[in-house]
Amino acid sequence: MPSTTAARVHDVRVLDREELAPGVILLSFHAPELASVTRPGQFLMAIPPGGERAATALGIYEAQGERASIMFFVCGPRTRELELLDAGDTLSVTGPLGNGFSIGGARDVAIVAGGTGIASVLLAAQACIAAGARTRLFYGARTAELLVDRERFEREGCEVICATDDGSFGFHGFVTQALAQVHERPELILACGPSPMLRATAKVAAELGVPAQLSLEETFACGVGGCWGCTVPLARTSAQAPSFPDGAHGGSDVVNARICKEGPVFLASELRW
Amino acid sequence: MPSTTAARVHDVRVLDREELAPGVILLSFHAPELASVTRPGQFLMAIPPGGERAATALGIYEAQGERASIMFFVCGPRTRELELLDAGDTLSVTGPLGNGFSIGGARDVAIVAGGTGIASVLLAAQACIAAGARTRLFYGARTAELLVDRERFEREGCEVICATDDGSFGFHGFVTQALAQVHERPELILACGPSPMLRATAKVAAELGVPAQLSLEETFACGVGGCWGCTVPLARTSAQAPSFPDGAHGGSDVVNARICKEGPVFLASELRW
Amino acid sequence: MVETIDLTAKLGKLELAFPTLMGSGCYGSGEEFESFVDLAQIGGVVLKSVTRQPRLGNPTPRLVQTPAGMLNAIGLQNPGIEHYLLNDVKKFASRPCKVIGSVAGFSVDDYAYVAEKLAARDEIHALEVNISCPNVASEGETFACDPKLTANVVRAVRNVTDKTVIVKLSPNVTDIAAIAREAQNAGADALAVINTVRGMAIDVNAWRPRLGNVTGGLSGPAIRPVAVLAVYEVARAVTIPIVGQGGIETVQDALEFFLAGATAISIGTANFTDPRIPVRIVEGLREYLAARGVQSLRDIIGKANVGFANANQYEGDQG
Amino acid sequence: MVETIDLTAKLGKLELAFPTLMGSGCYGSGEEFESFVDLAQIGGVVLKSVTRQPRLGNPTPRLVQTPAGMLNAIGLQNPGIEHYLLNDVKKFASRPCKVIGSVAGFSVDDYAYVAEKLAARDEIHALEVNISCPNVASEGETFACDPKLTANVVRAVRNVTDKTVIVKLSPNVTDIAAIAREAQNAGADALAVINTVRGMAIDVNAWRPRLGNVTGGLSGPAIRPVAVLAVYEVARAVTIPIVGQGGIETVQDALEFFLAGATAISIGTANFTDPRIPVRIVEGLREYLAARGVQSLRDIIGKANVGFANANQYEGDQG
Ligand SMILES: Cc1cc2nc3c(=O)[nH]c(=O)nc-3n(C[C@H](O)[C@H](O)[C@H](O)COP(=O)(O)OP(=O)(O)OC[C@H]3O[C@@H](n4cnc5c(N)ncnc54)[C@H](O)[C@@H]3O)c2cc1C
Ligand SMILES: Cc1cc2nc3c(=O)[nH]c(=O)nc-3n(C[C@H](O)[C@H](O)[C@H](O)COP(=O)(O)OP(=O)(O)OC[C@H]3O[C@@H](n4cnc5c(N)ncnc54)[C@H](O)[C@@H]3O)c2cc1C
Ligand SMILES: Cc1cc2nc3c(=O)[nH]c(=O)nc-3n(C[C@H](O)[C@H](O)[C@H](O)COP(=O)(O)O)c2cc1C
Ligand SMILES: Cc1cc2nc3c(=O)[nH]c(=O)nc-3n(C[C@H](O)[C@H](O)[C@H](O)COP(=O)(O)O)c2cc1C
Ligand code: FES
Ligand code: FES
């Protein structure tokens, strides 16, 4: 998971705004420089037009040619403000940030996404397919209408397996239960979504004996490693662990890593949450 | 200056938004009930769509049939938020509030307006003209382009005398200097604008020996008389003075009246500022 | 179900049909809001503070807007207790909600004098003692900033009335819990937490303070986190009920205070945003409790506050 | 004209090319922002506070957004001074701006120990003493809340270095001016005013505090009026320079602090809103002064503060 240096603040022009489902907005903008350097699993910080709030961490959904996009679920003051943006408006974003997924040579990849996590896995799916890997998307949501942009992943060439909590579409239950029932074992699991889903994914991956990379979410402030507000306990032996003295805290083998800087993608096997 | 009882909170639909000059917005909305009870010189409190701020005091510019309107100068967070409203959006306003101008039987009225004050005098001008009075508008602004909606007053039947600080249109100087030079003395002066302009108007009115009614501006919070944040020193003998014990403060003949409740219109002769 | 939910609250002897008071100095005497708010849907109005002598109040500007809040420096403008008793108090009889008098002063004597006269009137159902107004020279605040002075004032007021005495605390202290304990020991029936936070703003064009009084009191959503913590800490230090306040604008905000340990809440600045907010909060509380199958607001008080001393007060009056 | 305007500031021996410091704990070591901010355009970076022993910090969540602000409870996560000296400090040499170490501790000894080792390094140009972190058990805060303890810590640090010592004060006290005087008398070269305001937020769905540490420190525009007043009052009580901070986001905000009596400012939370803000403020200050024909920022310091004790410090180094 190589580290970022290409991050810049970009003033971008909104090209298109689409409401994919009630309260789910897809905003694409003209950002050639950002698009050209973004790697799968990276995110950006969207600067609030009105100030007085921290920037909002959002996955980079699409990045192709002149165009990049974000997809967000309106849930609080910042996304409510971003919701007001429309084609022609300008927005400032800092990115790309964080270390993304690495597909390596995997020939069969299972991508697990839940809720807002879907916004952080499209680039990864495209990369897998481009590398000729079989790519299955295990996609979970509360209900059918929140399985946004599902067809997009099919068009890209994914096998899409859906699960809904209320059974209104696909598998009735959690997406990780669907994953646990796969017949052909994938070589690699990539996941992004709420932490209960990620914990379950880690468990299933361990049972299947498949390595998993998890993209974590936490409340961010700076998004660039400056405030240590977004940490997760990590094995001190992890290559991603920040440097910390040996034997500290009675030789504790755990250290808190910054999700925004050392992550957001971590190896499930190295998390100590 | 009769007191208000008709005030209500109205949820209104924006019918039209017009930018009269850079940063000067005219917003009209569907508000039959409000329009039917509004009197010249009254104002409303515009409830901030996003909360977290006090409502904004704005004069009621037009009130006719189904339609009422406000005109505001974008200068801070609240007017910047209102600026985002457009046709079809809904807005909540509390009003009509305050005690307006009373034209009585005056046959020749001079209306003095400066800056945002213009928004509070159109209804008064219409009332004067409807009563058959000669109606002159002395209209001042920093520069020509800020003499917004001037033609509207002409169409209504006012004689419009303009003044600009930079001489870019009409009289070069303050509007009150133009007023001081009138040949035919009006019977009544009505004024709304920044307090330096109002103080100057009071002085000129006294010199001319003409009664003046001044609509004052101050930072408001509640706008309905509940917080005592918007006061102005008034003669205790004024009919508008709030009740206060005799001989208080060594028999001081002054008491602080609420501009939003006892005003916003006061007799120049009774102000003790 | 929603209809049967119990939102009543008790502050000493004072029984409120709804747990919502309108903050002193923000709501006049209630009359000012009557034409667009149904006062029968709120718990009570805390009147503007009254002093022994008439006061003209501070020079303007008395108000400044700040990020998610505002500064005020009214300076306790009021006609003085005698004139107030003659001309104002009788009007309060017609209010369809509880009316709570607010007492301010500059000496222990002042407080006792005004409290006694006010409490003697039937139109006044309880007293709030404002020992924490930040906008009247330094004296004003020192009462709430000094445990001993707080105790003296509270004892003096306690001695002149049997009606509920609510003591309003200042957040501008190192240890608000210590002051709260003193107020309880001196006989307070309930505590109002918090009054405004001291602050100021400067006019960068005119190079002078924006308030006529130089400094003022900060209120509104900006101070909510400070107020929630103050309620949380006071609720662990005392057993008398707390009236939580400071930036309450939505039902979620109100719930933060109840879960921290408040028995009732007070709404001030939010009335300047939208006068419908107090009634909306009452409706929101009903829906929130109904959705969770909770019958009485009392059952959630202090539920986010481990080691909530205050809890025991409810044993007595469940249901 | 705009180019020739003097924005330099002096804090004891520390000379700043620009009056803008980046707040401790908000800006890492500067490196984190290097790829999108020209650090040569800021005055200096105050490093994250370091303690004697390594600290894992608080459980998450460590951050909560609040109206016009945020709560944080990081808990001073750091590798401890020995590891810090070996692995981190040498990297600071490459910064094109001043680098100020921040010292935190739990005893007077801790402070002296860490301060001495840190001050001995050339990469560190000055020290800030954080006696006001609200997020490490209660001990942390008590230093800044007690005049005697403040004096003891400051004296101990003063004794181990000749470099500029900036003492960072807490707003969570009854009388910040009294603490400021103690710090000056104990040998502080400058004061940082203010650290965060204590607060908390509650999760109304889960019925528990939203921060892993329960309470946290409030920062951002919400606290600006509190910070401006603190600077205003401290500037009347001491003669050493003040680094004003708390919710500075625009040049107007910055000017409020300079006009209240601050010699320099610190920008923390605003970097989370937009990392370009510090450079924008410097440009804005140049334009503001140029428009008024003022040659040096020094000439407007304290201009909105009648009876500004601090003024006399400038006689010496005009122009
Ligand atoms: C690396 C990363 C990538 C991300 N990518 C995306 C993405 O692509 N798309 C996306 O939609 N999101 C994404 N997120 C999540 C997004 O950043 C957050 O949802 C963000 O907080 C939204 O900001 P907000 O101000 O709108 O909501 P906030 O105000 O931050 O609220 C966030 C949540 O907290 C809840 N909440 C607020 N107050 C309370 C209270 N008192 N009690 C209980 N609950 C409360 C709200 O209901 C809401 O669900 C990402 C996060 C990270 C860290
Ligand atoms: C009865 C009444 C009627 C009114 N009618 C109208 C009307 O019809 N149209 C209209 O446009 N206005 C009207 N006003 C004025 C309007 O209510 C105010 O302009 C209102 O404050 C705008 O709110 P805001 O948040 O946009 O600006 P605010 O944030 O309230 O700012 C108001 C002014 O203060 C200045 N300011 C803010 N901070 C600082 C600082 N730190 N230093 C120096 N200056 C600062 C701003 O530049 C701005 O000029 C009326 C006012 C009253 C009392
Ligand atoms: C304009 C204004 C005037 C106030 N006057 C008083 C007062 O006279 N007495 C008092 O005890 N509190 C007074 N307060 C404080 C409020 O009652 C309340 O405690 C405080 O504002 C915090 O609550 P809020 O954020 O909901 O307004 C006043 C507040 C405001 C905004
Ligand atoms: C996330 C975060 C972490 C902080 N960590 C520290 C710290 O380690 N030491 C310290 O002295 N101040 C710390 N502070 C306080 C800031 O340096 C600053 O004094 C305060 O936030 C007020 O300024 P602001 O509103 O510009 O952020 C921290 C603030 C934040 C928001
Ligand atoms: S959000 Fe600041 S370090 Fe991660
Ligand atoms: S604004 Fe509240 S009394 Fe006038």
Side-chain angles (χ1 to χ4, degrees), chain A residues 101 110-113 121 189-193 197-198 201 212-216:
Chain A
F101 297 106
I111 298 175
V112 185
V121 298
I189 295 174
L190 311 177
C192 186
M197 184 203 90
L198 294 178
T201 303
Q213 299 174 16
L214 310 182
S215 179
L216 306 189

Side-chain angles (χ1 to χ4, degrees), chain D residues 23-26 48-49 72 130 168 194-196 219-220 245-247 268-269:
Chain D
S24 175
C26 301
K48 173 101 190 124
S49 299
N72 88 82
N130 174 12
K168 189 161 185 175
I194 57 174
N195 206 322
T196 53
S219 64
Q245 60 203 282
T269 302

Side-chain angles (χ1 to χ4, degrees), chain B residues 43 53 56-60 70-80 116-117 119-120 192 215-220 259 264, chain C residues 65 201-206 210, chain D residues 252 256:
Chain B
F43 67 95
R53 298 182 172 127
T56 311
L58 298 171
I60 300 172
I70 52 180
M71 183 203 292
F72 55 90
F73 290 61
V74 179
C75 62
R78 288 173 296 178
T79 44
R80 243 179 300 184
T116 69
S120 300
C192 186
S215 179
L216 306 189
E217 275 193 23
E218 186 41 89
T219 311
F220 280 7
I259 293 173
Chain C
Q65 296 297 316
I202 287 172
D203 184 322
V204 300
N205 301 319
R210 298 188 71 191
Chain D
Q252 282 78 15
E256 287 195 65

